Amino acid sequence: MDMSQISPADQAKVQVMQEMEIEMMSDLYNRMTTACHKKCIPPRYSESELGKGEMVCIDRCVAKYLDIHEHIGKKLTAMSMQDAELMKNMTS
Amino acid sequence: MDKTPERIALSELDKEQMKTFSDFLLSYNRLSEMCFTDCVRDFTSRDVKDSEKTCSLNCMEKYLKMNQRVSQRFQEFQMLANENALAMEKKLRK
């Protein structure tokens, strides 16, 4: 991106937003890890190795979690855009 | 009057190191809590039983291995998403 054409205020804004995005990603990662651990690893720790079934479960869990995350994100944006549209129509 | 000594400003690198350290401490606490809840259920004796100890250690090791796998899959997913975004951009520019 060419930063010279953007005002310093906007540059600061972009930076804060990038930091928020990183923060959001790490939060997503932590939540996903906790959720998949809960769903895939039974709390009987007779072994320290991951079982085959547990590995498959983790792979699917991560893929599904991220899919659902994306779906919800899309729906949420669509809904908030609709809301904004409605508000604009009501005020005008 | 301001009595607190002036904080020395941390460099970006130091800040990053502190963040890593605090993340480590947080995951340490979370791990202890989780493995304690899953492995220690009997309070008829004060001593930690051998079985409880093995269970906790296995729990920790397994969690770390799981975390590694989750991180691998997450990275793969992100790389794919990045590639898709780049391809979309290229398409739109044409």
Side-chain angles (χ1 to χ4, degrees), chain B residues 11-25:
Chain B
S11 73
E12 283 302 312
L13 184 70
D14 285 342
K15 268 190 215 158
E16 211 156 290
Q17 277 174 346
M18 292 297 141
K19 179 90 176 61
T20 314
F21 184 55
S22 103
D23 281 350
F24 167 75
L25 290 179

Side-chain angles (χ1 to χ4, degrees), chain A residues 25 29 45 49 54 59, chain B residues 58 62 65 67 69 73:
Chain A
M25 276 308 216
Y29 181 84
Y45 296 101
E49 289 302 317
E54 289 170 342
D59 293 353
Chain B
N58 282 344
K62 210 170 189 175
K65 280 173 190 158
N67 207 12
R69 202 175 175 90
R73 294 290 107 81

Side-chain angles (χ1 to χ4, degrees), chain A residues 26-55:
Chain A
S26 110
D27 184 58
L28 160 71
Y29 181 84
N30 287 332
R31 284 173 198 270
M32 184 174 67
T33 312
T34 317
C36 292
H37 181 260
K38 222 172 172 175
K39 285 182 192 289
C40 291
I41 315 286
R44 278 175 267 106
Y45 296 101
S46 49
E47 241 203 332
S48 65
E49 289 302 317
L50 286 174
K52 254 224 175 85
E54 289 170 342
M55 289 192 210

Side-chain angles (χ1 to χ4, degrees), chain A residues 23 25 28-30 32-34 36-37 41 43-51 54-55 58-59 62-63 66-67 70, chain B residues 19 30 34-35 38-39 41 54-63 65-74 77-78:
Chain A
E23 198 81 348
M25 276 308 216
L28 160 71
Y29 181 84
N30 287 332
M32 184 174 67
T33 312
T34 317
C36 292
H37 181 260
I41 315 286
R44 278 175 267 106
Y45 296 101
S46 49
E47 241 203 332
S48 65
E49 289 302 317
L50 286 174
E54 289 170 342
M55 289 192 210
I58 291 165
D59 293 353
V62 170
L66 293 172
D67 272 1
E70 208 181 296
Chain B
K19 179 90 176 61
R30 222 165 21 152
M34 216 172 55
C35 293
D38 283 347
C39 290
R41 305 160 176 281
T54 353
C55 177
S56 313
L57 290 179
N58 282 344
C59 168
M60 180 211 77
E61 231 179 291
K62 210 170 189 175
Y63 185 84
K65 280 173 190 158
M66 192 204 81
N67 207 12
Q68 217 176 4
R69 202 175 175 90
V70 169
S71 137
Q72 269 172 15
R73 294 290 107 81
F74 188 54
F77 189 91
Q78 269 195 311

